[in-house]
Amino acid sequence: MPRVNLLLFLFIICAAYLAICDHCCVINYQKLPRYDLIKTNWRSNQPIISRKVVSNVEKCKEFAASKRALAFNLASTRNRAGRRENTCQALQCPEDFNMTTLVPEANYRYYSMYPVFSLPENSTIECIPKAGMFVFSSESLNYTQAQSFCRKRNASLAHVISEERTEGLARFVSQNRPSFVGLSKNDKEGIWKNEFDESLSCFDYRAWGEGQPSHFKGCVALVNPPPAESSPPFWKVVPCYISLPFICEISPLSQQSSRQYRKNRHRT
Ligand SMILES: *[C@@H]1O[C@H](CO)[C@@H](O)[C@H](O)[C@H]1NC(C)=O
Ligand SMILES: *[C@@H]1O[C@H](CO)[C@@H](O)[C@H](O)[C@H]1NC(C)=O
Ligand SMILES: *[C@@H]1O[C@H](CO)[C@@H](O)[C@H](O)[C@H]1NC(C)=O
Ligand SMILES: *[C@@H]1O[C@H](CO)[C@@H](O)[C@H](O)[C@H]1NC(C)=O
């Protein structure tokens, strides 16, 4: 008898969990980003968002994450009393691929959410504070080709479902030359999704242009209208087979490991 009760209890708990927590919960559950040590006795000159005295590197990681910093410097300096103390400098952006703003300085350590990466041909790299690092390719490819271009470089077509991302990225999209981003819908699933398998319905933000989405399915391009139109940037549905420039989002270290995990899971 108690056993039946226990099973019933577990069943109710599971049903309640599934009812409350659909797949969107996974997206809203943000684990701590991963910051790795990139260089010792060097400091990045990227703009500092905030700083704090911390007891150790773990505390600095928590602080940087709370500020949504993409990188940080950890300095070990002597205070007025002559005692060593650690100062955490949360940085707005990590070092660029060529690390030109990294300067040698004793007792500093530079940490980043991003591995050291190289720049693909015919592209530029931009940092959107708090959002990430993005590669803008001037080469035109169709959507599936653009997807594999990004994947080969440990990146994905850029997630744009937030104001920060859509507005931030649009500043680098040339006018009258829309770029593919990571948002599409096919016949099979029939839902708009980003490249992380997250449904559009899991987010509140929308940037559809007038009359958009114009088609039941397709791929989304980010449009930066010329100033004369005084319209904010918007999303537009285009056929997936056309060739356009595109924007990849570089995967932070934490995603590169989970992507590997996901790949392995699919294989088994
Ligand atoms: C490093 O990259 C920046 C931004 O892409 C570029 O402006 C600069 O010329 C590069 N510097 C070197 C030495 O390659
Ligand atoms: C880069 O651009 C140049 C000039 O447009 C072109 O000749 C070359 O094939 C491009 N490289 C790639 C990898 O697309
Ligand atoms: C992609 O990430 C993996 C795992 O971190 C790494 O081994 C590989 O070198 C990376 N590839 C590129 C092109 O950066
Ligand atoms: C993109 O082009 C490739 C090569 O031409 C083709 O195999 C693929 O089907 C195209 N993708 C779409 C979505 O049209």
Side-chain angles (χ1 to χ4, degrees):
M1 200 51 182
R3 191 164 198 162
V4 174
N5 281 344
L6 182 65
L7 284 178
L8 188 66
F9 174 74
L10 287 178
F11 175 78
I12 290 169
I13 294 288
C14 284
Y17 176 79
L18 289 175
I20 302 163
C21 188
D22 59 9
H23 64 290
C24 294
C25 287
V26 180
I27 298 164
N28 295 327
Y29 169 72
Q30 295 279 350
K31 63 170 182 183
L32 267 185
R34 182 177 137 196
Y35 299 94
D36 278 11
L37 176 64
I38 306 292
K39 241 174 157 174
T40 302
N41 289 329
W42 289 74
R43 149 179 86 77
S44 170
N45 247 341
Q46 291 290 319
I48 297 173
I49 327 173
S50 189
R51 61 188 97 210
K52 187 182 179 185
V53 172
V54 293
S55 49
N56 56 42
V57 65
E58 290 314 314
K59 291 281 182 267
C60 189
K61 287 180 181 178
E62 283 169 25
F63 174 67
S66 74
K67 299 290 171 193
R68 297 177 65 204
L70 301 180
F72 64 83
N73 292 318
L74 184 59
S76 166
T77 49
R78 289 199 188 278
N79 64 14
R80 283 208 199 96
R83 285 237 298 276
R84 284 229 163 259
E85 71 184 11
N86 294 317
T87 308
C88 184
Q89 302 176 337
L91 305 175
Q92 183 167 289
C93 285
E95 284 296 312
D96 211 335
F97 65 99
N98 59 18
M99 302 219 168
T100 41
T101 54
L102 202 61
V103 293
E105 179 138 6
N107 302 317
Y108 269 81
R109 276 178 291 166
Y110 167 65
Y111 289 79
S112 174
M113 269 172 62
Y114 292 87
V116 177
F117 48 84
S118 56
L119 186 70
E121 222 182 303
N122 296 342
S123 61
T124 55
I125 187 156
E126 301 292 349
C127 169
I128 309 291
K130 298 181 179 172
M133 299 290 282
F134 300 86
V135 170
F136 290 72
S137 176
S138 55
E139 197 183 342
S140 286
L141 296 176
N142 72 27
Y143 197 83
T144 45
Q145 290 169 319
Q147 269 179 324
S148 57
F149 178 102
C150 298
R151 278 185 199 145
K152 270 188 216 142
R153 288 157 180 90
N154 281 341
S156 325
L157 278 172
H159 165 47
V160 288
I161 320 172
S162 79
E163 181 171 323
E164 204 162 66
R165 286 165 170 266
T166 288
E167 306 258 331
L169 292 170
R171 288 190 287 121
F172 304 104
V173 171
S174 46
Q175 281 140 14
N176 304 319
R177 205 136 180 261
S179 292
F180 273 132
V181 290
L183 189 57
S184 63
K185 178 173 167 182
N186 60 27
D187 276 330
K188 229 184 339 181
E189 294 172 308
I191 50 170
W192 292 105
K193 284 199 320 192
N194 66 14
E195 290 292 300
F196 304 100
D197 242 8
E198 296 166 345
S199 162
L200 181 60
S201 62
C202 294
F203 302 87
D204 293 332
Y205 180 77
R206 297 290 180 275
W208 294 118
E210 221 180 299
Q212 297 293 332
S214 57
H215 293 78
F216 170 73
K217 61 173 183 173
C219 290
V220 171
L222 178 59
V223 185
N224 178 22
E229 288 177 24
S230 65
S231 147
F234 62 89
W235 307 338
K236 178 188 165 81
V237 179
V238 296
C240 301
Y241 58 78
I242 67 168
S243 290
L244 289 179
F246 53 92
I247 310 170
C248 306
E249 163 170 7
I250 297 172
S251 308
L253 290 158
S254 56
Q255 253 172 35
Q256 289 193 10
S257 41
S258 66
R259 179 197 300 240
Q260 202 58 40
Y261 166 73
R262 235 184 289 154
K263 237 191 276 165
N264 291 339
R265 199 176 43 174
H266 278 301
R267 240 181 261 135
T268 55

